[in-house]
Amino acid sequence: MTATTHPSAGAAPDVRLASARGRWILSCVVLASGMAMLDGTVVNIALPTMGRDLGASLSALQWVVNAYMLTLSALLLWGGALGDRLGRRRTLMLGVAWFAGASALCGFAPDEGTLIAARALQGVGAALLTPGSLALVRSVFHPDDQARAVGAWSALTGVAGALGPFLGGWLIDGPGWRWIFYINVPLAALVLVIAVRYVPESRDATAADTPFDQVGAVLAALSLAGVSYALISSSGGASALSTGLPALLGVVAGAAFVYVERHRAAPMLPPSLFASRLFSAANGMTLCLYAGIGGILFLLPVQLQVTVGYDALQAGTATLPVTLLMLLLSARAADLAHRIGPTLPLVVGPLVAATGVLLMLRIGPDSSYVADVLPAVGVLGLGMSMFVAPLTATVLASVEPARAGLASGVNNTAARVAQLLVVAGLPLVVGLSGEAYTRPSAVNVSFHRAAFGCALLFLLAAVVAVLFVRPRHVRSRAAEAPRPQCRSHCGVGAPALEPGDER
């Protein structure tokens, strides 16, 4: 079947998951989202090797990570809106082709400046393809198959995340770090072929009546770029003037963004969402939790390679238990939260994760993987598997069903922004700057300081859960209803709200 026989964009979803066409569509969206996930998991492992090969400073390596996160964070909501208007298949294909081209540019980059610019372009492509992959699952499969299709998408994308550290480490130690980017090109070509042949177009017929919030997107990007530049430049020893001006620009742009969003008829980030106290609290938790995750997983591969002496493959494989535990336990945590309410998982999960991060204080020059590294990453993965799914469910439950997609997009953006800012600011806070990331003694001291800081972020999230997420039981009939899925690789049911929780 070719694209010419696809149903119209306004047709009801009718593709069955068990059909050959359904399997091809699922393969397409899994490969697309898995490609972006692979890239996100392997770049951190490659940082020490990139730094040695390009002669890059720590601030340049921070930008290798943050250039991608910056454009992705700023444009993620915009990418979802574009798919609703222009067509989700078209936007997905544009994002995949863009991502592949930027990936090739990353691989060919002769210096750190070119690599950073290419990573920023990669983030644009990811902002187009990331919202579209799950949106296509929901828009083309028959309603009776949507829950199973989303579950399969979640599980298979999770497998891609699990393979990322292993595959990335093998490529870095084998043909070289540039191949973590080159590998995206044939994957993207396969996605495009499948999309053209098998994936029907779909769009939101009402979205054309809502204008784009270009001003909001530009102001958000300027704010994040200004603050990130100031933080990274400070850790690189730049002068107060050269960091103060970007910081001021970031603050002014942020204030202008808030003003524009409050007064715009169709804002990118509707302030009315935050009228829900539960929504605000859940997103506050998201900022704390994903800052903690982003910070520790940014520096852990550096600690393992520079201080402990692992190669890239060993460092990538060392963190594999985190993903495996998420795959095995997240769905169970979602079901538990659906039965007993999210409060207990959202309190205990961050506390367990904080314990795992504190166990990383034992990781040093003479560490054993079995005695020191494995218990730490295992406990961290256990804590994450307890809170990731219930957190997403709480976000979705905090707003009316019609706004669940927007709420999920805002929460996803909050997670990206948290990781962006912690990568920019954490090395400055822990005293790791310049070429210090190449010295084992300096990395070891800074990593231990970072572990304390990230543990405090997890503890703060648990406090927010205690204060603002109310315990409640979910009615049995809610368990039988179709349940929203989290942005991670696990299915999650949104717990029902009790009167008063929406405010």
Side-chain angles (χ1 to χ4, degrees):
M1 181 176 293
T2 63
T4 57
T5 63
H6 291 154
S8 67
D14 62 353
V15 178
R16 304 309 299 242
L17 180 60
S19 66
R21 185 180 177 198
R23 290 192 292 270
W24 278 113
I25 294 172
L26 185 63
S27 299
C28 177
V29 297
V30 166
L31 285 172
S33 54
M35 185 171 60
M37 180 171 287
L38 280 170
D39 193 78
T41 56
V42 302
V43 168
N44 283 1
I45 300 169
L47 291 177
T49 306
M50 288 178 183
R52 290 192 299 269
D53 189 28
L54 298 176
S57 66
L58 178 63
S59 60
L61 296 182
Q62 288 172 272
W63 273 116
V64 169
V65 176
N66 272 6
Y68 176 86
M69 294 301 300
L70 175 64
T71 51
L72 175 58
S73 301
L75 300 177
L76 193 60
L77 292 176
W78 185 81
L82 188 68
D84 289 341
R85 289 164 173 78
L86 299 184
R88 298 182 181 104
R89 185 189 69 160
R90 181 182 301 174
T91 304
L92 176 75
M93 292 177 63
L94 174 62
V96 168
W98 188 301
F99 191 87
S103 296
L105 185 58
C106 288
F108 286 117
D111 52 51
E112 60 191 51
T114 305
L115 179 59
I116 291 168
R119 286 283 288 164
L121 291 174
Q122 252 194 329
V124 176
L128 294 173
L129 73 88
T130 299
S133 61
L134 186 55
L136 272 171
V137 171
R138 289 192 172 278
S139 63
V140 303
F141 283 106
H142 191 280
D144 293 343
D145 289 342
Q146 284 189 12
R148 284 188 295 130
V150 172
W153 174 89
S154 300
L156 292 171
T157 304
V159 171
L163 291 176
F166 178 82
L167 177 62
W170 179 79
L171 290 172
I172 294 162
D173 289 336
W177 63 265
R178 297 178 185 276
W179 281 91
I180 67 174
F181 300 112
Y182 290 148
I183 197 173
N184 290 328
V185 177
L187 287 175
L190 180 59
V191 171
L192 293 175
V193 170
I194 298 173
V196 168
R197 184 165 181 80
Y198 294 105
V199 179
E201 185 59 280
S202 69
R203 61 175 58 90
D204 183 353
T206 66
D209 299 330
T210 305
F212 279 122
D213 185 10
Q214 296 100 330
V215 175
V218 170
L219 288 173
L222 287 175
S223 179
L224 293 172
V227 173
S228 298
Y229 183 87
L231 291 171
I232 293 174
S233 297
S234 296
S235 66
S239 66
L241 180 63
S242 61
T243 59
L245 288 177
L248 179 62
L249 172 64
V251 171
V252 171
F257 173 77
V258 173
Y259 177 84
V260 168
E261 298 303 283
R262 288 178 64 89
H263 293 85
R264 193 174 182 86
M268 182 177 71
L269 181 61
S272 59
L273 280 174
F274 295 92
S276 165
R277 183 175 62 183
L278 184 58
F279 181 81
S280 299
N283 280 283
M285 288 187 65
T286 298
L287 290 172
C288 293
L289 292 171
Y290 281 86
I293 294 168
I296 202 65
L297 294 184
F298 173 66
L299 289 181
L300 179 58
V302 179
Q303 171 78 344
L304 291 176
Q305 293 178 74
V306 176
T307 302
V308 185
Y310 285 14
D311 59 28
L313 178 58
Q314 290 172 320
T317 308
T319 59
L320 193 58
V322 174
T323 305
L324 293 178
L325 285 167
M326 293 279 290
L327 281 170
L328 291 172
L329 301 178
S330 287
R332 292 178 173 86
D335 289 336
L336 178 64
H338 195 65
R339 291 197 305 269
I340 69 172
T343 305
L344 187 61
L346 291 182
V347 173
V348 175
L351 293 177
V352 173
T355 302
V357 172
L358 291 175
L359 286 174
M360 292 183 186
L361 295 173
R362 302 170 59 189
I363 301 176
D366 300 317
S367 295
S368 160
Y369 179 75
V370 173
D372 302 310
V373 180
L374 180 59
V377 297
V379 175
L380 174 62
L382 178 62
M384 289 173 58
S385 68
M386 294 174 69
F387 70 70
V388 167
L391 178 62
T392 305
T394 302
V395 169
L396 297 179
S398 65
V399 298
E400 59 270 24
R403 309 186 84 182
L406 177 60
S408 179
V410 170
N411 187 244
N412 201 349
T413 302
R416 310 282 185 176
V417 169
Q419 293 171 322
L420 168 73
L421 295 179
V422 78
V423 170
L426 187 60
L428 174 65
V429 173
V430 300
L432 191 65
S433 60
E435 305 299 325
Y437 77 94
T438 63
R439 300 196 299 270
S441 59
V443 170
N444 191 49
V445 171
S446 296
F447 176 75
H448 289 168
R449 292 172 180 167
F452 275 116
C454 293
L456 287 175
L457 287 169
F458 286 122
L459 291 174
L460 180 57
V463 171
V464 173
V466 169
L467 295 177
F468 297 105
V469 181
R470 300 178 182 179
R472 60 201 180 276
H473 290 280
V474 180
R475 291 183 295 272
S476 59
R477 66 179 180 180
E480 301 172 358
R483 297 187 285 167
Q485 304 293 321
C486 75
R487 66 175 172 272
S488 182
H489 36 262
C490 54
V492 56
L497 285 173
E498 289 197 353
D501 281 347
E502 71 278 5
R503 293 288 177 188

